[in-house]
Amino acid sequence: MKRPAWGLWPHCASTLVALALQAPVGAQSFEQALVALPPVDSETELSFVPTTPLAEAVDATIPAAPAKPAAANSSIADGLRLDNGVIPIASFIQLGECPTCPPGLAPPAEKPKYPLIIVSGAAQIDGIWFDQPADNQAVVGDARDVAGFRRARLGANGFLAENVKYRMEYDFAFPGRPNFTDVWVDVADLPGVGHFKVGQWKQPFSMEPATSFRELLFMERSLAFALVPFRQVGVGFFNTAFEEQATWAWSGYRFPTDQYGNVAGDNGYGMSTRETMLLYNDECNNVVHVGGSYTYNEPAGNTLRLRSTPEVGFTQLDSNNVTDFPIPFYVNTGFLPTQSYQVVGGELAAGFGSLVFQSEYMYAMLNEPTGPQLQFPAGYAQVGYVLTGERRNYDHKTAAFTRVVPDVNFGNGSWGAWEIAGRYSTLDLNDKFVQGGHLQDLTFGLNWYLNRFTRFEFNYIHNFLDRPVGNDTESDIFGTRAQFDF
């Protein structure tokens, strides 16, 4: 018979697969099926000849159907003769989507690995009490006792592909209610570079910001944190080096970014970079760490303000309220006309067993459009010791210390892990005609870790304030925090 060549291709793989599983098949019935196909312009000679059994053309794991006795007037049709060439029918089997395929023949669809979504969250409930003499209150105002949420965050993070990571996190307690914290995507495995990140995240400057707020030694970061550019919207590159004994990072961003992740203006750009190295690292993960950072910024609006509270949660109000703070800023430069703002910083830290030491020094330089350069130094040194024998491990990718995890969780006679800590920090915003104040803090802390995700903190802070120059006052602060995260 003559049929068009395209007519030999089945519209569904199950047609020929079924023939393979039910062989032998009557040649007459299959020939009738081909005859039923509509003709096209080109025709070719078609005949049936015996070739390789079709059962060998399908997966050997599929059991063959019991053979049926062939009719006396039928022959086994295992192949097609097309213009004097023999082509096995199995050559036309195309396994793919087909609603009529026999059950079990097509492999089950794999569950997609991506996107991988991990829900995260954290909450910090603070109580803060002030003991403020009259002379200190006359300088900074009334520091009211506070109870409230320092942070209340929900987010999602995970992978969009094997080498593409993301995070979206929002805070419902910080001014903005809610506001953006980390919203970024990180592409890994870039040749010669490592990681490329875009979005809003903590810019690479200083060891303190590299430590998650979930894992801080104290309730708050040090006074020197006031000089850090912290979270901004931009792009950056980072990676480890020398078998994770060193890190480097560089970023460029708009500056300064508000609590909603926005910044506008014809100017307002900045860059930051941080490099670290381990001078010592043994098999027990004891380390000696050194690092350096630099940031250069030209703020949008050509103004900048530096200020800080004495290491306790600040504002706890909506961003629309910019004047009535229950916790006043002890040091404050006010808005300064600014052409550029630069900070250089150095890091020295070490961890040996249950003991951890960390220190940094920063030096800020603010250039006004006219007038002299203003210089504001800051720094801190802190030490912590886990009384129950656990330790803060060093994260080689972030170049920072991580949290304490109890060897045995609280309960059934165990009290979890306990840690004591002490810190001295300083921030001097007095220079030339700017009398922002010089603040020094002595902070003592006690941390109780019930388990990996729950802890209670107790901080006592005694501060020394020189504002204005020559007018020294002091005050005391007691702080407690309940924290859980997942």
Side-chain angles (χ1 to χ4, degrees):
M1 73 172 179
K2 291 185 177 182
R3 294 305 301 162
W6 68 266
L8 301 180
W9 295 89
H11 293 273
C12 178
S14 62
T15 303
L16 292 182
V17 172
L19 289 174
L21 296 177
Q22 299 173 8
V25 178
Q28 185 64 31
S29 62
F30 186 60
E31 181 177 4
Q32 291 174 352
L34 292 176
V35 170
L37 294 173
V40 292
D41 294 339
S42 60
E43 294 185 344
T44 184
E45 187 71 24
L46 174 69
S47 61
F48 292 89
V49 296
T51 61
T52 303
L54 287 175
E56 298 178 11
V58 296
D59 193 333
T61 61
I62 302 177
K68 298 180 179 179
N73 60 348
S74 66
S75 60
I76 298 176
D78 292 333
L80 302 178
R81 182 181 298 279
L82 184 60
D83 290 343
N84 298 321
V86 177
I87 305 177
I89 293 178
S91 298
F92 297 95
I93 298 177
Q94 301 177 16
L95 297 179
E97 294 184 0
C98 180
T100 60
C101 289
L105 182 62
E110 293 185 6
K111 184 179 180 180
K113 295 182 180 179
Y114 306 106
L116 175 64
I117 302 174
I118 302 172
V119 177
S120 63
Q124 294 176 329
I125 305 98
D126 287 5
I128 302 171
W129 297 267
F130 286 84
D131 181 10
Q132 189 181 28
D135 58 350
N136 180 265
Q137 185 171 335
V139 175
V140 302
D142 181 22
R144 287 164 280 172
D145 298 340
V146 172
F149 285 87
R150 176 66 175 89
R151 296 177 176 91
R153 296 190 180 182
L154 283 176
N157 61 88
F159 289 86
L160 303 175
E162 184 177 356
N163 59 348
V164 180
K165 189 177 181 180
Y166 73 93
R167 173 173 291 176
M168 300 180 66
E169 187 176 60
Y170 306 89
D171 196 311
F172 295 85
F174 199 75
R177 300 178 184 269
N179 73 306
F180 286 78
T181 55
D182 289 316
V183 182
W184 49 258
V185 61
D186 172 9
V187 180
D189 301 331
L190 291 179
V193 176
H195 293 260
F196 168 72
K197 182 181 284 189
V198 59
Q200 175 169 291
W201 77 98
K202 295 182 291 186
Q203 299 305 311
F205 185 93
S206 171
M207 191 176 192
E208 266 197 317
T211 305
S212 169
F213 72 89
R214 297 170 172 87
E215 301 169 351
L216 293 174
L217 189 59
F218 298 91
M219 290 175 59
E220 299 294 335
R221 295 179 172 96
S222 72
L223 295 174
F225 182 68
L227 304 182
V228 174
F230 206 43
R231 286 189 174 93
Q232 309 293 334
V233 171
V235 299
F237 300 89
F238 65 96
N239 207 355
T240 61
F242 306 114
E243 298 181 348
E244 296 191 344
Q245 299 298 294
T247 69
W248 65 269
W250 177 92
S251 67
Y253 47 82
R254 296 300 306 270
F255 178 83
T257 301
D258 66 18
Q259 63 267 27
Y260 302 108
N262 299 321
V263 59
D266 294 333
N267 56 356
Y269 294 88
M271 60 79 59
S272 292
T273 182
R274 178 182 181 232
E275 287 73 35
T276 72
M277 178 171 288
L278 291 180
L279 300 181
Y280 177 81
N281 183 201
D282 62 20
E283 64 278 2
C284 297
N285 204 23
N286 295 317
V287 297
V288 175
H289 159 111
V290 294
S293 302
Y294 172 75
T295 182
Y296 178 89
N297 306 274
E298 296 180 355
N302 299 112
T303 61
L304 188 67
R305 176 174 59 185
L306 301 175
R307 59 183 183 175
S308 180
T309 62
E311 296 181 3
V312 289
F314 53 94
T315 71
Q316 301 191 19
L317 293 175
D318 189 87
S319 61
N320 294 325
N321 188 343
V322 297
T323 58
D324 184 23
F325 298 119
I327 303 177
F329 294 95
Y330 275 41
V331 289
N332 189 345
T333 64
F335 285 102
L336 300 173
T338 306
Q339 184 177 28
S340 67
Y341 170 71
Q342 306 174 66
V343 188
V344 294
E347 311 167 12
L348 175 62
F352 287 87
S354 300
L355 181 68
V356 63
F357 167 81
Q358 181 173 317
S359 64
E360 295 189 68
Y361 180 79
M362 303 178 193
Y363 195 79
M365 296 160 284
L366 190 151
N367 292 310
E368 297 184 299
T370 60
Q373 183 185 77
L374 300 174
Q375 301 170 350
F376 305 117
Y380 71 91
Q382 64 188 34
V383 61
Y385 183 77
V386 185
L387 299 172
T388 47
E390 294 85 351
R391 64 182 298 156
R392 287 180 174 268
N393 285 317
Y394 181 86
D395 188 329
H396 290 253
K397 289 183 171 55
T398 61
F401 291 106
T402 61
R403 69 177 64 196
V404 173
V405 179
D407 291 335
V408 182
N409 291 340
F410 170 73
N412 298 322
S414 171
W415 286 88
W418 292 79
E419 180 183 42
I420 57 174
R423 176 171 66 194
Y424 167 79
S425 64
T426 178
L427 173 62
D428 189 355
L429 299 183
N430 290 328
D431 188 38
K432 300 180 177 65
F433 60 88
V434 176
Q435 301 297 308
H438 179 199
L439 181 61
Q440 301 175 79
D441 281 358
L442 289 175
T443 305
F444 302 93
L446 175 66
N447 300 321
W448 178 25
Y449 302 89
L450 283 72
N451 50 60
R452 182 183 185 92
F453 307 107
T454 312
R455 75 167 176 172
F456 294 98
E457 300 175 72
F458 308 90
N459 282 188
Y460 164 70
I461 305 166
H462 183 79
N463 58 74
F464 306 88
L465 177 62
D466 179 16
R467 177 186 172 193
V469 176
N471 182 35
D472 297 330
T473 62
E474 302 177 14
S475 65
D476 295 285
I477 306 170
F478 301 88
T480 63
R481 171 174 293 170
Q483 172 183 310
F484 66 88
D485 68 277
F486 56 88

